[in-house]
Amino acid sequence: MTESVISVKHLTQRYGTGRVIYSDLNFEVPKGRILGLLGKNGTGKTTTINILMGYLRPQQGECRIFGERITEMSPATRARIALLIEGHVQYSFMTIEQIEKFYAKFYSKWDRDAYYQLMYNPQIQKSGETKTKGSKSGKNPEKSQFQAVIEI
C-alpha cells in the first residue's frame, strides 16, 4: 500500500451557515504524486487549500497530512509543507502587521525581520505594483508584497 501524504475524508464545508461549498469530499494523494485543484470560482479550491494548511478548521470531516490531523499538526510536520499559490490568505481589513502575526503562528522558523524588510523594500514594492496591475485579485500593492515572503 502506498503512503498517503494527504488524506481527506468526509469533508463538508459551507459559506457561513448557508450555501454548501462541497459535501462529503474524499481524496488521497499518495507519496510522489502532484495534485492540482481545478474548478470555477467559488467551488472551494482555495478553501480546501486553506483547510489543508491549517488556516481554516474543517466544519465536518477529517484531513491528515503525513498521517497527522491538520488540527493537531506538529511544528516538525508543518515545516515539511510548502505552498505556492497565485494569491494568499489576506483580508482587506488586515494591516501588514496583522497579516504578519497571522502567518507567523504557522511557521516555526518565521523570520519577522525578513518579512518587514520585504514589505518595506521600495524596489520590491515597485515590482509588486507592476505585478498587481491587471491582477485578477486587484489587491493593493503593499499587501501583495506578502506573496514574495511566502514564496521564498
Side-chain angles (χ1 to χ4, degrees):
M1 177 179 242
T2 306
E3 173 190 354
S4 287
V5 175
I6 299 172
S7 173
V8 173
K9 296 188 190 273
H10 309 292
L11 188 62
T12 297
Q13 205 70 15
R14 294 174 177 77
Y15 287 119
T17 57
R19 186 171 81 83
V20 174
I21 303 171
Y22 40 73
S23 178
D24 200 30
L25 178 66
N26 295 280
F27 66 90
E28 303 271 333
V29 180
K31 186 177 181 177
R33 285 277 174 93
I34 296 173
L35 171 70
L37 300 175
L38 305 173
K40 294 179 180 180
N41 289 344
T43 58
K45 300 176 301 294
T46 302
T47 299
T48 301
I49 290 169
N50 288 334
I51 289 170
L52 291 173
M53 292 300 293
Y55 302 148
L56 292 175
R57 288 190 168 271
Q59 292 172 340
Q60 287 181 316
E62 179 182 81
C63 302
R64 291 178 178 261
I65 295 184
F66 298 115
E68 291 185 36
R69 284 192 180 121
I70 54 135
T71 55
E72 302 165 0
M73 206 177 325
S74 69
T77 297
R78 190 169 300 286
R80 295 176 65 190
I81 300 170
L83 172 65
L84 179 59
I85 189 168
E86 181 183 345
H88 48 84
V89 176
Q90 126 187 343
Y91 300 103
S92 59
F93 62 85
M94 293 175 83
T95 65
I96 293 294
E97 291 77 17
Q98 290 168 325
I99 293 170
E100 187 271 330
K101 286 177 185 171
F102 176 81
Y103 275 103
K105 294 174 190 173
F106 295 98
Y107 299 95
S108 62
K109 295 180 182 179
W110 183 264
D111 188 335
R112 187 174 194 269
D113 291 336
Y115 169 85
Y116 283 105
Q117 285 175 352
L118 286 169
M119 290 302 103
Y120 297 109
N121 181 325
Q123 290 177 335
I124 291 175
Q125 286 180 0
K126 217 174 205 177
S127 71
E129 288 171 7
T130 304
K131 279 186 187 177
T132 55
K133 285 183 183 173
S135 163
K136 73 175 187 177
S137 66
K139 294 180 175 120
N140 89 34
E142 183 181 60
K143 288 185 181 177
S144 73
Q145 300 312 302
F146 184 63
Q147 186 171 3
V149 176
I150 293 299
E151 292 175 359
I152 291 175

